[in-house]
Amino acid sequence: MSSPTSGRQYKNNPYERVSFSSVTGNNIGIIRVLNSTLFPIQYSQRFYKQIVQPELEKYCKLIYLNDVPVGTVCCRLEEIDNETKLYVMTMGVLAPYRNRKIGSQALQHILDAARESKKPKITSVYLHVWVESGDAKRFYERHGFKEVGLVVDYYKKMEVRDAWILEYRLHPSAAEGEDESVELQAMSPSPAAQDHATTVT
Amino acid sequence: MAEPRYFQNDLKPIATDTKNLNATLIALKGAIASSVELLIQHVKTKSSSTRDPLYTGDAGIALMFLRLSVQLKAAGLGDYLKKDIQAQIPSIVNNLLPPLKAYQLRPGHLSPLDSPVGSAVVYILSTLDRVTSPDSSSVDTTDDKDWAAAIQTLENAVTTATEDQSLGGDEVLYGRAGLLWAMLNLQMWVSARGVPRQMEKDIAQVVNTKTIKQVVERIIEAGKLGARWYERNYGEEPLPLMWPWHDKFYLGAIHGVAGILTVLLQAPKAMVTPHMRLIMRCISALCDITVHKDGHLPSSLPAKSRTYEYTQICHGSPGLLVLLATFRLRFPDDWREDWETAEALAAEKVWEEGLVRKGIGVCHGVSGNAWTLLLQGLSHTGQKETSTLLSRALAFLLRSTELPPLVPGVSTAFRTPDHPYSLFEGLAGAVCAWIDACVIIREYLGEEKASTKMVLGFPGLGAVMAPPQKKALPSKESSLFKELLQLYETKQLKKGVKTADQILKKVPDHGETLCMKGLIITHMGRREEGLELVKKGIRLDITSHIVWHVYGLIQKAERDYEGALKSYTQALKCDRENLNLLNDAANLQTQLRHFDALQDTRELILKLKPNARKSWISLAVAYHLNGNLAASKKLLDKYEEVVKNVPDYDFEHSELTLYHVRVMEELGELNEALQKLDNSAKSRVIIDRTAVMETRARLLSKLNSPEAEDAWRALIEKNSDCYGYYRGFFSNKGISLGDDFKERARAYLLNGFRRGVPSLFSDIKSLYSVPAKRLAIEEIAEGLRKEESPSSTAPAVNGDVAANAESPTTYLWILYFLAQHYSYLRQFSKALPLVDDGINHTPTLPELYTCKARLLKRAGDLVGAVQYAEDARLLDLQDRFLNTKSAKYHLRAGLSEEAQTLLGLFTKKDAPSPGADLEEMQSLLYLTEEADCQKRLGKLGPALKKYLAIQRVFDDYNHDQYDFHFYSLRRFTIGAYFKLLQWEDGLYRHPSLVHAILEASRIYVRVHDNPKLSASSSAGLSEAEKKAQKKAKKAALKHQEEAKKHTNASSHEDKGLEPPTSKDEDPDGSKALAATDGLERAWKMLKLLASHPLERVDVCIGTYDVSIRRKKYAQASKALLAAHAIDPEDPELHLRIVDFKQRVSALPEPLAEPLDSIVSSALSTLFPSELTPETFNSQYLQRHSTSALATLTSAQVLQLLHAPLDEVESTVFGVLAPESDVDIKTAQKAFDFLSFTNSTRRDEFREACDKRFQLSTVFKAPEELAKLHAEARARRQKAIENSEPTAAQAAPKDGAVAP
């Protein structure tokens, strides 16, 4: 088993340790199992090819609790108008492990990584949330994400198809938030639609 | 004559201890040195005109000088003779010889002892000595008139000897026997030394097998004739052979029977043997006379009554002693014990009356009498007589150094001989005796280069008894040979061959050079050619240690340790004290566990090299290995007394001291050991602190000391991961886990669950041997499962779990543990839901899938097992354990090719196939599983091949220890060395080896019983398989070529001495399978197991199965009795007992004694004689009615007894009775048995099994199973396509960034 890195003790419980490891060709089977358990969407071969690319190593992670893989977060980089943004494609933790701040730590881990990135410099992190999952939306908002738009008919195969766009500005002082949200709204539904799924709350 | 002819002997025998022998040696050498100077003086001033004869002439003195130069080294005289004297010898010899002429010789005057033949022979010998000595300049004889004259004289003598028919010219001094002695000596010199071609030819014209035989026959004829003549003349019963001289029939060595027979015995054996009966009768008669005369031998027959008898070589019993010594040396196997009385009496007489007044000489003097004792001692070598005889001989010899002419005649009552310097009467002969004595003493003392082969014996009588000396190379070739050895050492092979060829050009049959060339050629990879040369070399020079050493090296490299040891033993016979040889021999003796011999070898090494630390320790280890602990300790004590100036912090000395402590510990001297340990630790002699602590703890425990606990605790603190320390600690405390077991176990388990210890179950399951503990653990784990189940844990507060709540992983590990628990107990219906719960809870944990796979495997669902093992593997592609597990389950399900593909993900890419790589890596797991898989598929050839491969792996293990015999003792890592030896000794018990050997021998037995199997195994290949085989062959070929290219590229000429792994001639094992000597091969393997105490019934059964078919009834009986002793009720044994009974009673005629009684006594133990086999069987079944295996066995017995098929069938169905303890394995065996008997109820049985073992796929109908496999394969295919492990990492740029 690839050994997870960057361990962090969870509060007072000495037996809980959350850690992350990069996605590689060897542990991609775990991602596959997690995706099929967590999300109602079947991911394409392209998705799995994408997440093992070296430049995404810091943003595609397996989440471990006590060395057991319990969740995943996978992002990709997008370039929009000379700005590099990090798009969160999937984020999820297995049901028995929820409500233990595991998702929060994972999100924080990704945000920290994105903030530290110099080449490319990443301006913001964004994602889609199904309009029906209010818990998820609240979860992201608790971490400083802001709703910047709504994509109509984002999820093709669901009864309710709309999705919010939530965004987190990494360097708030450097840019104005308002303008971009408009832009994003304008370009939806994005061609990469349906890529995002969240099951964290 | 009034005064006796001898002086009263008041000499004290010289004790044969080292001190006295050395003193004697020095005295003799001194006497030789001064005698030589005296003789040189005499030669310069001589006025004597007698020159030709050896007896009293100058040629005799020349012969003495010649002998001196030949024996110089062996006698250790190099330092005693001045160098200029040594250099003078050839010219002295030359000057002593008269001008040579080609003489015509008269009958009765042919012996070199008293005719011109003497100077001729000495001239030839001295010439040969000159041309063959290492530093000779080349000698050309083509224009040498002296040479030609000498040869001509000799030829004339031989011609006369063979043509003359008259009687009276056969004894040693004047007649044919003397000439024969000269001929035999010449022949020996020519064959033993590299003599130039022309000279060899010249001599061979005169002296050859034909002429020697003629002379021998002539002497024998004359002897027979003489005997008749004697009878007619005297009317007395003659000896079988008698020779008159001057009308008298002498018995002594110079004129009579004893001497003639002595020379005859030294002729080539093939010539002697036809007359052996006569000769032996003759000797018996001589012995009878001697006994009759109380140790005296009359000088002639008919015996006159005299007031005295002579006791000297020429007349009297000394002659008999020389004859007997020669006989014993030449024909030890024909020796007759009834001669020993005469021998002993004669020897006693020589001692009593041997100080003859006639003085120093050999023919009738003190030194001659001493010489007889010396030679007699030599013929007894290794027996108790030797030292008595030697000590008496030496006393005589020392006395003889005080006689004239060496000391002035006036100072002694002994006479000065008529020819005081001559060979037979005077000083020259005595010097020859002393030189021989020096050689013998030095050999007795074990000194270098001394060998009894260099003892030359009496002139005119002896010397031919010695085996030929080594062929000395001419000086140029000799230095080339040294260079050749050097070249081999430095592995300059091509140059080595060139040098060898250069030597061989000159001396084509030099054995040592041939061997060295062979060795080098073997190194260059031309094994067969090399071996051929080596063997030829041995034949040519069988007494050289080099040739045997070379052969031993090659045998050792081929792992023929027994053979190698034999060669080394031979080599050591030729060179007793060669340290290289001794060390190698010791290693071989250790490898072969010949500890008695090892002890001897090590003792000798220590004697030779007492100042090497290794010699001492190796001997101590040898004592220890030989079970001689006390000797080991004594030696180590002694060593520590002697050793001085050990530097501080010397690791080797530290190890030695530790070993010393260990020996004391094993001797049970615990207090002393502890004291020594503590002292040595304090004084920093032992610097290995850990070892000190460990040894101390162990010793304290054994002493039941209260300090022991602290000692163990300290160790645990030092290294808390060492199981051994805990074991030591607990066994010392004697803890038995009693009432508080539950409490402790709960804490331990909970801690494990919380920390997520995957190996917790394997850790704990050893406790399951106690059912109460097992139940307690089950209770605890089930309790914890309820407590921790998600439904019962506290609900989340404010959407967040309480900070102190248990982690969900704890519950997960509980599920995992319990699933393993029930799976282990074969409660599959309980285990399955648990593991499924776990997978639902956390589908990402590979352990759960492997757990489920194992569970399904145990339940017989091999298809499902593959499925889940694959699921686990896909979760972590770089985990080799998961990969291996999955491959193993593929093999279990008969999917060999898929397994290969999987294994190939982790094997070397350049290996010919994954399997080949794993075999090279000695993966027992793979080899065993693959072999078992092939066997289940009915492919006996490939299965056999893999089983044999396993055996080879163990052979390698056994071989691997070899270097350590040398290395460990040099490095003094003795503790580890003993562990290694122990481990190697237990190899034959290794389950993988036992399994492989048993399975392989079962295959051989099956093929033996049904030879068709070997044909069908390979014929049954499908098209696809054939194609695959072809492909594999091609790949292997390519691989080989590449390997070849590789080695060519590196062009390293040295291929080493080990035989290369030959290319695989038998890729599918069909040749091995078709071998006609299958049973022999099986036995060869089984011997390894059967030569140890039999501890397993299956090993006994395997041994029986092979033995009975080899018709080895004693072995078979022994195997069954051994099995009976282990478990008399074993089902397999039951079947074999009936089988044995049947086979024995079917024998056409009773076995020969003692075999018959062995077999019937075995049967009386195994089989109650009052029962019929049928009742024996039914009683067995009654005793074990609920045992499925026993039920099946009794059905098999029924079949063996030719019971009707339906009875057999219904018994087999008993296996599935409700109360039967049947498991899948037994059911499968029963099914196979039904198939074997062609039962029609086969399918019925299969279906019943399928119903009984619900999860199992083992009993599916073939088509159903095929379907299941196909489905599973499709699913796996999909999964593999989806994963494509590493390809994705080098992904193209597309999709890197979404638009």
Side-chain angles (χ1 to χ4, degrees), chain A residues 10-60:
Chain A
Y10 176 64
K11 282 193 187 163
N12 303 326
N13 192 333
Y15 293 112
E16 288 209 347
R17 188 165 36 83
V18 175
S19 53
F20 306 97
S21 82
S22 302
V23 179
T24 69
N26 288 321
N27 59 20
I28 204 145
I30 303 180
I31 303 274
R32 224 178 264 280
V33 168
L34 283 171
N35 284 354
S36 71
T37 314
L38 291 170
F39 313 122
I41 303 159
Q42 175 108 53
Y43 284 85
S44 67
Q45 198 64 23
R46 214 192 55 174
F47 172 85
Y48 293 106
K49 277 189 179 160
Q50 200 171 20
I51 59 175
V52 293
Q53 281 164 17
E55 58 267 37
L56 294 182
E57 197 193 329
K58 279 182 277 179
Y59 315 114
C60 296

Side-chain angles (χ1 to χ4, degrees), chain A residues 1 13 32 50 69 97 99 101, chain B residues 799-800 805 842 844 876 1282 1295:
Chain A
M1 242 193 257
N13 192 333
R32 224 178 264 280
Q50 200 171 20
Y97 301 90
N99 296 327
K101 305 272 185 220
Chain B
D800 255 350
T842 306
T844 51
D876 192 350
N1282 278 349

Side-chain angles (χ1 to χ4, degrees), chain B residues 991-1032:
Chain B
S992 296
L993 178 66
V994 176
H995 176 76
I997 289 180
L998 288 180
E999 287 295 349
S1001 66
R1002 273 173 209 149
I1003 291 177
Y1004 280 129
V1005 166
R1006 274 174 72 184
V1007 173
H1008 172 83
D1009 291 351
N1010 180 9
K1012 276 186 209 144
L1013 281 173
S1014 75
S1016 63
S1017 163
S1018 57
L1021 292 180
S1022 68
E1023 253 338 282
E1025 279 170 321
K1026 273 183 191 155
K1027 224 180 232 170
Q1029 232 176 41
K1030 236 184 213 164
K1031 209 172 129 193

